[in-house]
Amino acid sequence: MAEQPPWEDLPPLCWEAVLRSLSSNADLQSFSSVCKRLLDISNAFRTSLAIPNQLTPYLDSLLSRRVTSLKSINLSPFCGNPSSVLRQIAQFPLPLERLDLSNQESLRFDGLRQMGSKFGALRVLVLSKIRLLGDDDLVSIAGHFPLLEELDISYPRRSRKARVTDDGISVLSQTLQRLSRIDISGNQSVSDQSLVVVAVNCPCLREIWFRDCGLITGRGIASLIKKRPQLVSLALIDMEEETIFCEELVDSFRHAEGLSHLDFSGSFIWDELLMSVAKANIPLECLDLSDASGFSFNGIRKIVLKHRGIKVLDLEGARFLTDGDMSVVCKDLGSLTSINVSRCINLTKTTLYNLTRQCPLLKRIFMERTNLRKDDANETDIVVNSQVRSLIIPSNENLTDECLKKIGRMCPNLWYLDVGVCLKITGDGISGVLKRCPEIKHLDMRGLKNIGSLSIDFELPQLEGLQAGGLKLNDEQLAAFISRCCHLEHLDLQKCVHLSTKGVEMAVKNCKTLREVNLMDCHIVDDDVPFLDWKVSVRPSLRRIVPPCGLISSEIQDLFLQRGCLVCDD
């Protein structure tokens, strides 16, 4: 008898520690593929599962033998009445905490009642984009799941047969005493009254979303803040001047105590309101002013000066901002970890340099469609910031290779780089930044026009995702690039019309860890099915394919799903 491997006797806690230490899906895939025992171990620690229609024939075996520790189930991809699926799920003793039933026709089916009786302690229920959702449904939800802590009933499809009103929200709020988060966005018949009753009846409330609720006004929001000062997150999104403008809202922020996240994106915001936020005694960490209007740099300055613990700042679309403005606020953003100044068209490389120099904790920078261009900075202007992990700078049409290489020297530990549609970037710039940033895991270079000089003569062991849509790559260039990427999982070649069938086949064959590939509009084959069959056979790690020639029948989708691969048309 063969000797039992020493790891067979390791307790579950040890295996959990091992799995948590894996840094990527590729590592988990390698772990799972060693043997059936390790596959079973990895499945035992899987906590979430999405269920499209094609998966339902295998659901019993999955839940009974493979994924027995599920805490989250997502049925939003499922089309049709989900009652039978919910009844199947209810048969198993899962530690279920979260259920997503978004996109269903209605909630009037028996399976929901059974889920309530079996999983009454469910914490999170997502019911977004339900076609028929009304007050009666809210009463049923409260009865079936009285211990809910988070509820999403956002954006029901408009119907004359059912609608959510203040009455339904009132009944719901009286029952769900543990409710801490609710999203009522898109419910056109709820008003300020709903905000008030939720604030009064739900003592644990910390977060409420009400985007696109046309009857909610600044006065209702002011009442919410006053009656529930412990709110942690508040989103006033896409609110127009006549709806939001009132002195009561300005005054209400002096009552706030717990607000750490404020979202004013798309709304009319005036400086007096921002001044009241600046004066508020709140632990503000996240401020979103993207696409907001009505305010000036003075309002931003006051908030940043008072709340120096801000970690996330979104100023996208603030077209009045200049490099001088940003140099002023950067000095007070020592805690910043993420900033978005995309579409701030006056900002140049000077702002990028100031951010990396003065914000030592910064991890993510978004500067899409700004004014990054030819770089005349001295080497002494460059300060290395090893914390920056993500740099999203697409559509900077004047960004040059030299500037990109200097960015690589400033941020040598990048994981995510997006330079799509930076039309002056060539293959030399891409190879230069990759050489200086060996930790890059995801590279987006879609739409680059001058990539013919791309030549990679070094290894890219960390690269997991490559978006190369629309590039004029030929077979040899693709093969040479792929040969350097031993852990590539996601490959987007959409509209790469210069590739041949043979070139794509070789790329798929050489990517031993490839899980997803997008070949939409590649014009490489006339018949998808034999081509897909070959790919799944030669590369069993594939889990998702977007084929070249368009729509795939449900029969073909089922055929490939049985082999563990989802074939879709987008």
Side-chain angles (χ1 to χ4, degrees), residues 127-192:
L127 303 171
S128 182
K129 299 179 182 176
I130 302 295
R131 181 168 183 177
L132 296 176
L133 185 69
D135 287 345
D136 290 342
D137 299 304
L138 299 192
V139 174
S140 298
I141 291 167
H144 294 327
F145 305 101
L147 301 181
L148 279 179
E149 298 175 18
E150 298 183 20
L151 176 64
D152 183 345
I153 53 171
S154 62
Y155 294 101
R157 301 168 195 174
R158 294 186 180 182
S159 170
R160 295 179 180 178
K161 297 181 180 179
R163 62 176 181 166
V164 172
T165 71
D166 292 333
D167 293 336
I169 298 295
S170 179
V171 173
L172 186 80
S173 66
Q174 293 174 45
T175 306
L176 301 182
Q177 292 295 297
R178 295 189 179 185
L179 195 67
S180 64
R181 183 188 187 278
I182 185 170
D183 190 342
I184 58 174
S185 298
N187 284 282
Q188 296 293 324
S189 297
V190 299
S191 70
D192 291 344

Side-chain angles (χ1 to χ4, degrees), residues 115-278:
M115 289 293 286
S117 61
K118 180 64 180 291
F119 301 108
L122 199 74
R123 291 180 52 252
V124 182
L125 183 60
V126 183
L127 303 171
S128 182
K129 299 179 182 176
I130 302 295
R131 181 168 183 177
L132 296 176
L133 185 69
D135 287 345
D136 290 342
D137 299 304
L138 299 192
V139 174
S140 298
I141 291 167
H144 294 327
F145 305 101
L147 301 181
L148 279 179
E149 298 175 18
E150 298 183 20
L151 176 64
D152 183 345
I153 53 171
S154 62
Y155 294 101
R157 301 168 195 174
R158 294 186 180 182
S159 170
R160 295 179 180 178
K161 297 181 180 179
R163 62 176 181 166
V164 172
T165 71
D166 292 333
D167 293 336
I169 298 295
S170 179
V171 173
L172 186 80
S173 66
Q174 293 174 45
T175 306
L176 301 182
Q177 292 295 297
R178 295 189 179 185
L179 195 67
S180 64
R181 183 188 187 278
I182 185 170
D183 190 342
I184 58 174
S185 298
N187 284 282
Q188 296 293 324
S189 297
V190 299
S191 70
D192 291 344
Q193 182 183 336
S194 288
L195 298 188
V196 174
V197 297
V198 171
V200 171
N201 295 331
C202 300
C204 299
L205 188 68
R206 295 293 181 269
E207 185 175 351
I208 181 168
W209 290 71
F210 43 84
R211 185 173 186 171
D212 296 326
C213 296
L215 299 180
I216 289 179
T217 70
R219 289 182 175 84
I221 299 167
S223 296
L224 170 68
I225 295 172
K226 291 177 181 178
K227 293 180 183 298
R228 191 54 56 196
Q230 295 82 19
L231 278 176
V232 172
S233 179
L234 185 63
L236 290 70
I237 301 174
D238 294 336
M239 299 190 71
E240 298 178 354
E241 180 177 1
E242 56 268 24
T243 303
I244 192 174
F245 188 87
C246 64
E247 286 302 316
E248 292 93 328
L249 184 58
V250 174
D251 178 69
S252 67
F253 279 95
R254 68 186 177 88
H255 298 275
E257 298 174 1
L259 280 176
S260 61
H261 290 67
L262 268 176
D263 187 347
F264 293 118
S265 57
S267 291
F268 175 83
I269 301 297
W270 60 109
D271 279 348
E272 186 183 3
L273 181 62
L274 294 183
M275 300 292 185
S276 69
V277 173

Side-chain angles (χ1 to χ4, degrees), residues 231-340:
L231 278 176
V232 172
S233 179
L234 185 63
L236 290 70
I237 301 174
D238 294 336
M239 299 190 71
E240 298 178 354
E241 180 177 1
E242 56 268 24
T243 303
I244 192 174
F245 188 87
C246 64
E247 286 302 316
E248 292 93 328
L249 184 58
V250 174
D251 178 69
S252 67
F253 279 95
R254 68 186 177 88
H255 298 275
E257 298 174 1
L259 280 176
S260 61
H261 290 67
L262 268 176
D263 187 347
F264 293 118
S265 57
S267 291
F268 175 83
I269 301 297
W270 60 109
D271 279 348
E272 186 183 3
L273 181 62
L274 294 183
M275 300 292 185
S276 69
V277 173
K279 294 176 182 178
N281 187 23
I282 56 176
L284 190 61
E285 294 184 354
C286 177
L287 178 63
D288 189 341
L289 296 172
S290 59
D291 294 313
S293 61
F295 67 103
S296 70
F297 173 69
N298 192 41
I300 299 173
R301 173 71 178 124
K302 293 293 185 182
I303 287 184
V304 170
L305 187 63
K306 171 66 183 299
H307 299 289
R308 301 198 178 196
I310 290 178
K311 296 179 180 179
V312 180
L313 181 60
D314 194 332
L315 301 172
E316 180 173 357
R319 299 166 71 91
F320 57 81
L321 284 177
T322 65
D323 287 334
D325 294 334
M326 291 304 298
S327 67
V328 171
V329 297
C330 281
K331 299 174 183 177
D332 299 313
L333 291 172
S335 299
L336 197 68
T337 60
S338 175
I339 187 165
N340 185 359

Side-chain angles (χ1 to χ4, degrees), residues 59 121 132 146 163 189 228 234 242 244 282 308 341 343 358 374 392 408 420 426 491 496 546:
L59 196 55
L132 296 176
R163 62 176 181 166
S189 297
R228 191 54 56 196
L234 185 63
E242 56 268 24
I244 192 174
I282 56 176
R308 301 198 178 196
V341 288
R343 296 190 292 112
Q358 298 186 41
K374 184 177 180 180
I392 295 85
T426 71
L491 179 60
C496 289
V546 180

Side-chain angles (χ1 to χ4, degrees), residues 517-535:
V517 60
N518 183 358
L519 300 172
M520 178 67 74
D521 297 328
C522 280
H523 304 163
I524 55 177
V525 290
D526 295 321
D527 187 351
D528 275 337
V529 177
F531 183 61
L532 294 173
D533 185 67
W534 179 88
K535 282 196 296 184

